[in-house]
Amino acid sequence: QINVLQAKKKFEILDAMLSFMHAQYTFFQQGYSLLHELDPYMKKLATELDQLVIDSAVEKREMEHKHALIQQRAESLSSFQDFSYDDSKVEFNVDAPNGVVMEGYLFKRASNAFKTWNRRWFSIQNSQLVYQKKLKDVLTVVVEDLRLCTVKPCEDIERRFCFEVVSPTKSCMLQADSEKLRQAWIQAVQASIASAYRESPDSYYIE
């Protein structure tokens, strides 16, 4: 009986092993069938991927070329920016009928802690330097009397084409759009100071 049981046990073990191998065969066969169905799509995707890699390389070269051209153009514009306003009319008139010696857009540095720059419409009129945020806004007086002021260009600053109008109580840092405009504004302020002194006697301001 013991021998019979031992022999029977061996057959059961072999049968279990065969069932396991058949299950493994079925599992991998089904997996192969599913992947085989995906094979055409994977080949198509691989072809598209190769084309995407080529297109990306071409686009990268084109972008690098454009970037180099933009840098070259920016350097050229930086070198010749002073000539970009040659065709514009830059002049001032201390004897203008409307009293406006000169006007135009300037960047003004704020006096707050952030030192932000804001673009404003400035004008020199009635011996004063004033500006407006918008064309129809109320005038804001920066300098009440240009006769008490000086004007000078500023080079040791993070921006170009800057100049400073200094009064006894405060100073105003301004930026023009070009060197030509900066010189025009400086000359306009200086001419307005000289004109104001000619129109009023100096003794009035001695006190």
Side-chain angles (χ1 to χ4, degrees):
Q1 291 293 335
I2 292 175
N3 290 334
V4 172
L5 290 174
Q6 291 292 337
K8 185 177 181 181
K9 187 174 181 181
K10 291 179 181 178
F11 290 133
E12 289 177 351
I13 294 174
L14 182 60
D15 182 63
M17 289 296 297
L18 287 175
S19 298
F20 173 74
M21 294 300 296
H22 181 72
Q24 289 283 74
Y25 169 78
T26 304
F27 171 75
F28 285 110
Q29 188 179 36
Q30 290 177 349
Y32 169 78
S33 299
L34 290 174
L35 291 175
H36 184 69
E37 293 176 359
L38 290 174
D39 185 59
Y41 174 73
M42 290 190 294
K43 289 181 179 179
K44 179 183 176 183
L45 191 62
T47 304
E48 293 177 354
L49 179 61
D50 293 338
Q51 187 62 41
L52 286 174
V53 172
I54 296 173
D55 294 343
S56 177
V58 173
E59 185 178 359
K60 182 179 179 181
R61 286 196 299 269
E62 290 178 352
M63 291 299 294
E64 290 176 350
H65 181 64
K66 290 179 180 180
H67 184 66
L69 290 177
I70 290 173
Q71 282 187 330
Q72 183 179 2
R73 183 179 179 185
E75 291 174 358
S76 300
L77 289 175
S78 176
S79 301
F80 297 100
Q81 186 171 2
D82 292 348
F83 299 95
S84 61
Y85 292 90
D86 286 347
D87 295 334
S88 62
K89 188 176 182 181
V90 181
E91 60 182 13
F92 60 91
N93 182 11
V94 293
D95 299 321
N98 59 355
V100 178
V101 177
M102 185 173 178
E103 59 183 349
Y105 280 107
L106 293 171
F107 282 94
K108 178 183 178 296
R109 189 175 70 178
S111 57
N112 54 25
F114 298 101
K115 303 296 183 183
T116 55
W117 293 82
N118 300 299
R119 198 164 187 252
R120 299 288 184 259
W121 182 264
F122 276 82
S123 62
I124 301 173
Q125 51 182 292
N126 302 323
S127 299
Q128 292 181 331
L129 180 63
V130 299
Y131 74 86
Q132 298 168 279
K133 292 183 179 181
K134 296 180 181 179
L135 188 59
K136 295 183 180 181
D137 285 355
V138 179
L139 291 175
T140 300
V141 178
V142 179
V143 176
E144 294 182 358
D145 196 334
L146 288 173
R147 284 166 284 198
L148 304 177
C149 298
T150 59
V151 59
K152 59 181 181 180
C154 295
E155 305 297 344
D156 54 342
I157 193 171
E158 71 276 5
R159 292 193 173 206
R160 300 186 301 167
F161 316 133
C162 291
F163 62 98
E164 186 177 19
V165 180
V166 183
S167 69
T169 57
K170 62 180 178 180
S171 64
C172 181
M173 185 67 68
L174 303 171
Q175 181 192 21
D177 291 336
S178 69
E179 178 62 26
K180 184 176 181 180
L181 284 171
R182 175 170 73 166
Q183 293 299 327
W185 275 99
I186 291 175
Q187 293 172 8
V189 174
Q190 292 173 341
S192 298
I193 294 172
S195 175
Y197 271 116
R198 287 194 302 269
E199 293 174 0
S200 301
D202 295 342
S203 58
Y204 179 80
Y205 295 93
I206 292 177
E207 184 178 357

